[in-house]
Amino acid sequence: MKDHRLPKIALYGEIRTGHRYRGAPKKRYKDCLKKTFTVCNIDHQNWSDFAADRSAWRLISSKGVTLFEKTRRDTIKDKRSRRKARAASAVSPDPAFSCRLCSRACRSRIGLFSHERSCRQRGHSLPS
């Protein structure tokens, strides 16, 4: 194909906007397609052959997007459950660091110091 043809310009030309890592070569539209095909589990070597048959391409791309979406949702759900489990099993505050003004338990001595200062600013006083 000649260099001035639009399909060749689109597939092999550089993208003017977008993100690239420092020192990395500029991305082309073809690079973005390759990444998307890989994520959707579509063979990026033969995608043009699949795209030639419209019904097959719709089926392949639909399955790929469905698989990607399912994987994405599962990943998010797993990440959330791990975050919730980590929060539930968090270390309980040491009772040695409890506020003398309001009896709130703090996790560290510096946290207790900061908390007591804010309690005094709010008007709490030491119990008699």
Side-chain angles (χ1 to χ4, degrees):
M1 186 180 292
K2 294 183 181 178
D3 289 338
H4 69 279
R5 299 277 315 272
L6 188 59
K8 188 167 184 179
I9 293 170
L11 287 176
Y12 295 100
E14 295 174 349
I15 296 177
R16 292 182 185 238
T17 60
H19 171 76
R20 72 179 175 105
Y21 295 105
R22 185 176 182 175
K26 291 186 178 179
K27 291 190 179 191
R28 300 170 296 178
Y29 180 67
K30 187 175 180 180
D31 299 329
C32 296
L33 275 178
K34 183 178 176 181
K35 183 178 178 183
T36 304
F37 290 153
T38 304
V39 168
C40 291
N41 203 21
I42 298 172
D43 183 21
H44 63 275
Q45 300 290 336
N46 301 324
W47 70 270
S48 56
D49 297 335
F50 298 137
D53 182 12
R54 192 177 187 109
S55 60
W57 176 249
R58 282 188 179 167
L59 181 67
I60 290 170
S61 61
S62 174
K63 284 182 181 179
V65 169
T66 304
L67 177 67
F68 166 74
E69 189 63 26
K70 182 183 179 307
T71 305
R72 187 186 71 84
R73 285 183 183 165
D74 291 344
T75 303
I76 290 172
K77 198 179 291 184
D78 181 48
K79 190 175 178 181
R80 182 178 187 272
S81 65
R82 282 187 278 130
R83 186 179 68 238
K84 294 291 183 182
R86 187 175 60 235
S89 68
V91 179
S92 61
D94 188 0
F97 301 120
S98 60
C99 180
R100 294 175 290 154
L101 305 172
C102 69
S103 303
R104 178 181 174 185
C106 296
R107 294 182 186 213
S108 65
R109 190 172 55 124
I110 189 69
L112 173 64
F113 179 78
S114 176
H115 174 74
E116 284 183 347
R117 183 177 54 207
S118 65
C119 275
R120 281 192 294 277
Q121 288 175 352
R122 280 186 257 140
H124 289 249
S125 59
L126 283 172
S128 341

